[in-house]
Amino acid sequence: MNRSRITLLFLCSALLAFSASASSHKEAPLIKGDPQVDATDLYVFRSPDAPSTVTIVANYIPIEEPAGGPNFDSFSDTALYEIHIDNNGDAKEDITYQFRFRNDVRNPMTFLYNTGPVMTLDSASLNQRQFYTVTRVTGNRRTGTSTDMGSNYQVAPASIGPKSTPDYASLANAAIGTLPNGGGKVFAGPRDDPFFVDLGSVFDLLTLRPLQQLHLLPPTKASAPGINTLTGYNVHTIAIQVPISTVTANSAAPTGITDPNAIIGVWTTASRSRVEIRNTGLTNLRQNLAGFTQVSRLGMPLVNEVILPLAFKDIFNGSEPSGDKPLFDANADFRNRVLDPEVPKLYKLLYNIDSPASPRNDLVQVFLTGLPNVNMPANVVPAEMLRVNLAVPVTASPNRMGALAADSQGFPNGRRLTDDIVDITLQVAAGVLVTGFNKSPNNALTDGVDANELPFLSTFPYVALPNQGYDHAHHPAAQQ
């Protein structure tokens, strides 16, 4: 079989594989049509300015255009958003934070989002508002013990422009809520998409601009800087910052990195009502019946995108981590995607780069169990989630390559906003964790985008303020 035919056969694999570079932006067929509940990224890290707490950032709505008025993007008021925490390694949630949103329209007889400058969250000029409730569930997410954490938090509004939201930073700060009884902080609203990646390049048959001179397919081009395709786009963020002692199995801060209570696993979900009845009148009343069906799931920024083929993507989004072990252990379609992944085959085909032979047990540790002596719980049940050892000290100067650069607080030990997930996963897939493969070009694979286009904040919720609808740009002309 000639090379051009092989390339065509691997085209779908290439596009599938580097959906990972978009993290979970439009990662499965069904969720692509429901962006309000499409989880894009999950970040879990010990808070740099409050090290006794852990911050969890869950983002939704991929590639959100800031100027998308008059009906700016918002959370769904009929969905259930959840952050789940497993604190004993059994692949089942022990703690769940639930978020439910409601819309408040002051004047339904105007099309306007705002009728004048919005100076405060309670400004009469803000015509369309959102509020939300926070509930903490201990035990099973549906049958456990529920604790009301507040029911009137307000979502930060859209960043519209200098006339409508002249002091947006103040509005956003006012939307940071305080959880009761010393429970921490919470935030919901639009932010700059913190993920950074050259999507335009990697979707073009895994072209890496800094290494494109090595690509075996024409046209051959010289090395060039990467372009952050997500520049100028927003997401909708749900962020919580809670004391570490409130999420560990023994309800105490860990005593050290070997403390068995130091490791937690985190994943997010979004669920839709099984049955929804709508009123077609002006009130647009909706009634949800028959409980919820999970339609989105996200933990590690890779598995559903790289490992699972199209046939299993929607199944994964509706599944729970407790069901992963039989899938990966007994089902060859799942197991072989971990132990014998497609991405290294693309490296060989397109760049003539050799990677470790299967079975790839190094990838099983990264994606399903955690790394030994780092973030692998005792008696771990293999499952896809983002695991973090909360006893690892905060790194004063984080390295974007995380654990690959001996920065033990970085990915895959949790995930910070500054961690370069694309470069890390490119190199991990090439086998840099396996003896004999931590060498060039395997350990030099990069998309050439090393940081977000906007600086992150030094305080909660850390994600940069959203891009303004009036004044923002995608793909600077100088980089075209």
Side-chain angles (χ1 to χ4, degrees):
M1 185 179 294
N2 62 41
R3 180 176 296 277
S4 62
R5 178 154 177 77
I6 293 176
T7 299
L8 289 174
L9 289 175
F10 275 89
L11 174 59
C12 289
S13 296
L15 296 181
L16 167 65
F18 275 88
S19 295
S21 297
S23 201
S24 287
H25 297 60
K26 305 182 181 182
E27 85 282 1
L30 287 179
I31 201 63
K32 178 181 176 183
D34 196 0
Q36 280 186 306
V37 289
D38 186 355
T40 65
D41 284 285
L42 172 66
Y43 302 84
V44 183
F45 51 91
R46 193 171 176 180
S47 311
D49 59 324
S52 64
T53 69
V54 57
T55 295
I56 302 174
V57 174
N59 290 336
Y60 293 86
I61 311 179
I63 313 179
E64 182 180 312
E65 171 55 51
N71 296 299
F72 292 95
D73 284 297
S74 63
F75 293 105
S76 171
D77 63 341
T78 59
L80 173 63
Y81 298 86
E82 295 176 291
I83 295 173
H84 309 281
I85 299 170
D86 168 23
N87 58 26
N88 58 15
D90 66 354
K92 299 177 182 179
E93 67 272 13
D94 299 294
I95 299 167
T96 296
Y97 290 92
Q98 298 178 335
F99 303 83
R100 291 180 173 88
F101 295 83
R102 63 178 176 86
N103 295 328
D104 176 67
V105 178
R106 284 172 158 153
N107 179 11
M109 301 310 294
T110 177
F111 73 90
L112 294 170
Y113 180 84
N114 59 296
T115 57
V118 179
M119 305 304 297
T120 62
L121 291 180
D122 61 355
S123 171
S125 298
L126 183 56
N127 188 47
Q128 298 183 39
R129 301 184 297 172
Q130 271 200 320
F131 297 88
Y132 63 101
T133 65
V134 182
T135 303
R136 176 183 161 116
V137 181
T138 303
N140 182 280
R141 66 181 81 175
R142 298 293 177 260
T143 62
T145 302
S146 297
T147 302
D148 181 7
M149 303 288 284
S151 59
N152 206 37
Y153 299 104
Q154 187 168 348
V155 177
S159 180
I160 303 169
K163 292 183 175 62
S164 294
T165 50
D167 187 7
Y168 186 81
S170 294
L171 286 175
N173 286 336
I176 297 175
T178 300
L179 296 171
N181 302 318
K185 301 177 182 179
V186 65
F187 172 85
R191 308 300 276 192
D192 171 68
D193 191 335
F195 193 66
F196 44 96
V197 58
D198 190 342
L199 287 179
S201 179
V202 297
F203 277 136
D204 189 13
L205 279 174
L206 190 48
T207 300
L208 303 174
R209 294 184 210 266
L211 302 174
Q212 61 187 345
Q213 75 277 10
L214 303 178
H215 205 289
L216 299 180
L217 296 179
T220 300
K221 295 183 178 181
S223 175
I227 297 173
N228 184 7
T229 310
L230 298 178
T231 294
Y233 290 104
N234 293 335
V235 291
H236 262 60
T237 290
I238 297 173
I240 60 172
Q241 183 180 84
V242 297
I244 291 174
S245 60
T246 64
V247 298
T248 57
N250 64 345
S251 300
T255 57
I257 60 174
T258 60
D259 186 335
N261 298 296
I263 299 170
I264 63 171
V266 183
W267 70 101
T268 64
T269 61
S271 301
R272 288 287 193 189
S273 176
R274 292 192 181 98
V275 178
E276 182 178 288
I277 299 176
R278 294 197 176 199
N279 177 328
T280 57
L282 287 176
T283 55
N284 193 30
L285 294 176
R286 286 176 283 186
Q287 184 176 8
N288 295 333
L289 304 174
F292 287 97
T293 295
Q294 182 180 306
V295 296
S296 177
R297 171 185 166 191
L298 178 65
M300 291 287 290
L302 193 90
V303 172
N304 198 9
E305 297 77 22
V306 170
I307 294 174
L308 301 185
L310 287 169
F312 294 104
K313 286 178 169 294
D314 294 325
I315 295 172
F316 180 85
N317 267 339
S319 68
E320 299 180 17
S322 59
D324 288 351
K325 188 177 188 299
L327 289 175
F328 282 104
D329 284 357
N331 187 308
D333 291 304
F334 282 84
R335 184 181 67 246
N336 290 343
R337 297 290 170 171
V338 181
L339 297 176
D340 187 21
E342 292 179 296
V343 174
K345 298 174 184 177
L346 295 171
Y347 289 161
K348 182 65 176 177
L349 174 69
L350 299 174
Y351 287 95
N352 197 29
I353 294 175
D354 292 320
S355 304
S358 60
R360 293 292 301 275
N361 292 310
D362 58 314
L363 300 183
V364 171
Q365 292 180 349
V366 170
F367 302 130
L368 299 179
T369 66
L371 300 177
N373 303 315
V374 180
N375 61 342
M376 178 189 289
N379 304 313
V380 63
V381 174
E384 191 276 334
M385 61 181 69
L386 188 56
R387 302 182 192 274
V388 60
N389 187 322
L390 294 173
V392 174
V394 173
T395 304
S397 299
N399 191 299
R400 68 179 181 89
M401 295 302 290
L404 293 189
D407 181 352
S408 58
Q409 198 208 5
F411 183 81
N413 181 30
R415 180 183 179 189
R416 302 166 301 192
L417 294 169
T418 55
D419 288 340
D420 193 341
I421 298 300
V422 175
D423 285 7
I424 294 171
T425 52
L426 283 170
Q427 295 179 23
V428 167
V432 296
L433 298 178
V434 178
T435 300
F437 289 89
N438 188 13
K439 61 182 181 180
S440 182
N442 303 52
N443 59 11
L445 293 175
T446 177
D447 70 338
V449 181
D450 296 344
N452 193 48
E453 82 279 9
L454 297 179
F456 298 123
L457 307 183
S458 59
T459 57
F460 182 85
Y462 305 105
V463 190
L465 292 172
N467 295 280
Q468 187 186 91
Y470 177 81
D471 186 15
H472 68 281
H474 309 301
H475 300 187
Q479 294 184 348
Q480 294 289 343

